[in-house]
């Protein structure tokens, strides 16, 4: 009997290693004013290349340049818990001003906006559907410590009053995906 249990656990473990874990999950708390839903359509993601997504964002609040909203991203390779450093100012693990990022890095951010929505501040409250959204992984990813191949998670938060006692996470999205050198 013990042998059967051990054998079943071994098969489950081996099978789990061959299953790709790809997900897009809203991680904002209950009542968060910005929520995300959708799915990742590319698995695995080639580097360099694009991770295609079907993304819906619901924003109950507007964003203006004067709000000082920050985007805080943490990207981790799961196998060794390696935190990817900030690449080119926006990719990997970075914290950037939301409205500044829209004008400074449009090639990395505007692709997650619906085509009919201007990629600039102010951003009106509303529901935004971007069925052809994508995130670009450029060749710079190939040089990260330990190589690019592997499973990753990225948590991206929209934060008000970053670092202050009244810091507030307005919205949060978790991505789990696999990168492979192309």
């Amino acid at each position: 009997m013990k042998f059967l249990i051990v054998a079943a656990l071994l098969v489950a473990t081996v099978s789990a290693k061959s299953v790709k874990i790809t997900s897009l999950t809203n991680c904002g708390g209950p009542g968060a004013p910005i929520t995300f839903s959708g799915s990742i359509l590319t698995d695995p993601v080639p580097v360099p290349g694009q991770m295609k997504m079907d993304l819906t964002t619901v924003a109950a609040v507007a964003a203006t340049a004067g709000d000082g909203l920050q985007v805080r991203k943490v990207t981790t390779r799961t196998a060794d818990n390696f935190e990817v450093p900030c690449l080119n100012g926006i990719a990997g693990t970075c914290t950037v001003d939301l409205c500044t990022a829209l004008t400074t890095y449009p090639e990395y951010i505007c692709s997650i906006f619906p085509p009919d929505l201007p990629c600039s501040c102010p951003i009106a409250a509303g529901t935004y559907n971007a069925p052809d959204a994508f995130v670009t992984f450029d060749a710079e990813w190939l040089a990260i410590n330990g190589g690019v191949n592997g499973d990753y998670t990225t948590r991206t938060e929209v934060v008000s009053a970053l670092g202050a006692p009244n810091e507030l996470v307005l919205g949060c999205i978790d991505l789990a995906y696999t990168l492979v050198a192309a």
Side-chain angles (χ1 to χ4, degrees):
M1 181 65 168
K2 286 182 185 178
F3 173 76
L4 290 176
I5 292 171
V6 171
L9 288 173
L10 212 82
V11 168
T13 302
V14 170
S15 298
K17 290 184 184 224
S18 65
V19 174
K20 298 289 182 200
I21 301 172
T22 302
S23 67
L24 182 156
T25 309
N26 182 63
C27 50
I34 302 171
T35 60
F36 302 92
S37 62
S39 57
I40 294 174
L41 306 173
T42 309
D43 180 38
V45 180
V47 179
Q50 297 175 340
M51 176 171 59
K52 298 185 186 310
M53 300 180 290
D54 179 358
L55 178 65
T56 298
T57 304
V58 178
V61 295
T64 67
D67 294 337
L69 298 180
Q70 301 285 309
V71 175
R72 177 173 49 203
K73 290 178 36 199
V74 177
T75 300
T76 306
R77 184 174 49 226
T78 57
D80 57 359
N81 209 29
F82 173 74
E83 192 172 288
V84 177
C86 187
L87 306 171
N88 59 24
I90 191 70
T93 300
C94 304
T95 300
V96 295
D97 178 82
L98 172 64
C99 291
T100 301
L102 295 177
T103 58
T104 307
Y105 307 105
E107 68 276 20
Y108 293 102
I109 298 177
C110 293
S111 61
I112 64 171
F113 278 66
D116 59 336
L117 180 69
C119 184
S120 61
C121 282
I123 302 170
T127 299
Y128 301 106
N129 298 306
D132 299 318
F134 63 89
V135 174
T136 299
F137 291 87
D138 60 22
E140 194 170 354
W141 281 81
L142 296 171
I144 65 172
N145 187 23
V148 72
N149 292 338
D151 296 328
Y152 290 80
T153 59
T154 297
R155 172 164 283 195
T156 303
E157 299 171 321
V158 178
V159 183
S160 169
L162 181 71
N166 61 336
E167 177 178 301
L168 178 64
V169 175
L170 300 174
C172 178
I173 184 172
D174 279 334
L175 303 175
Y177 51 93
T178 301
L179 297 179
V180 294

